[in-house]
Amino acid sequence: GIQVEQSPPDLILQEGANSTLRCNFSDSVNNLQWFHQNPWGQLINLFYIPSGTKQNGRLSATTVATERYSLLYISSSQTTDSGVYFCAVGLYGQNFVFGPGTRLSVLP
Amino acid sequence: DAEITQSPRHKITETGRQVTLACHQTWNHNNMFWYRQDLGHGLRLIHYSYGVQDTNKGEVSDGYSVSRSNTEDLPLTLESAASSQTSVYFCASSEAGTNQPQHFGDGTRLSIL
């Protein structure tokens, strides 16, 4: 099956800093989704991004499916950005496979 | 607004008991999924359904069962709870078709003593 890696596993930032989270996958995929799990455990959809670039406020994401990676950019980070960020990838006819996550801590 | 609701939010039970976790969605989505989340393993798929009367096994289905009698609900049953099934359980739903964006419930924290 598809293998999904995320880097870095842990990241500590000062409020206001920018960061880039990476998701690598072992096979060509047709779909990719980024989630944020907040400190209360809720999983929040960030982006559904099988290819290309999307932006939503301070967050943006880019997927290059042919090179098997996706990037999540967080600009001007805030303490509320803390939590774990997951990418999930999928092939047609198969369900999503989740990566292990990147744990982000934003310090005031 | 459409939503997906899990109940209970927290449950403690004993080994050997039957436990059922509820999942109810008002998105009118065809697809529904159950995952478990454990430290060091991320989210792993337990069972999924692509429509009424359809159920399929996921990566970690042993010891679990589901049934889909209507569009809105996909209850997850642990026939004989084991301590290894202590976990946080998430239900998700998506539109028909594979790899559609998934919407998650808030999770159920299950402890088996």
Side-chain angles (χ1 to χ4, degrees), chain A residues 55-76:
Chain A
Q55 180 153 9
N56 184 3
R58 297 179 296 103
L59 273 60
S60 63
T62 295
T63 296
V64 184
T66 53
E67 297 187 21
R68 304 180 186 175
Y69 73 89
S70 182
L71 302 173
L72 178 69
Y73 305 96
I74 305 174
S75 64
S76 304

Side-chain angles (χ1 to χ4, degrees), chain B residues 45-108:
Chain B
L45 184 62
I46 305 171
H47 280 285
Y48 59 100
S49 167
Y50 287 155
V52 176
Q53 302 301 331
D54 176 73
T55 61
N56 306 279
K57 294 182 178 181
E59 177 188 358
V60 289
S61 61
D62 287 348
Y64 303 94
S65 63
V66 294
S67 61
R68 187 90 180 271
S69 59
N70 59 49
T71 299
E72 296 79 19
D73 299 287
L74 187 70
L76 177 71
T77 297
L78 288 68
E79 299 293 344
S80 178
S83 57
S84 60
Q85 294 175 307
T86 293
S87 187
V88 180
Y89 291 85
F90 286 95
C91 180
S93 70
S94 70
E95 292 181 358
T98 56
N99 304 141
Q100 296 299 313
Q102 294 188 12
H103 302 267
F104 280 79
D106 287 344
T108 293

Side-chain angles (χ1 to χ4, degrees), chain A residues 31 33 35 37 41-43 45 48 86 90-96 98-99, chain B residues 33 35 37 39 42-43 45 48 50 90 98-106:
Chain A
N31 291 290
Q33 198 167 358
F35 296 90
Q37 187 168 37
Q42 296 172 312
L43 280 160
N45 290 314
Y48 177 70
F86 292 100
L91 278 168
Y92 284 139
Q94 299 180 23
N95 289 303
F96 277 111
F98 281 76
Chain B
F33 308 84
Y35 295 88
Q37 184 177 27
L39 281 175
L43 276 86
L45 184 62
Y48 59 100
Y50 287 155
F90 286 95
T98 56
N99 304 141
Q100 296 299 313
Q102 294 188 12
H103 302 267
F104 280 79
D106 287 344

Side-chain angles (χ1 to χ4, degrees), chain B residues 25-40:
Chain B
Q25 53 98 2
T26 58
W27 291 91
N28 199 34
H29 284 163
N30 279 14
N31 300 345
M32 295 185 73
F33 308 84
W34 274 104
Y35 295 88
R36 61 179 287 175
Q37 184 177 27
D38 305 289
L39 281 175

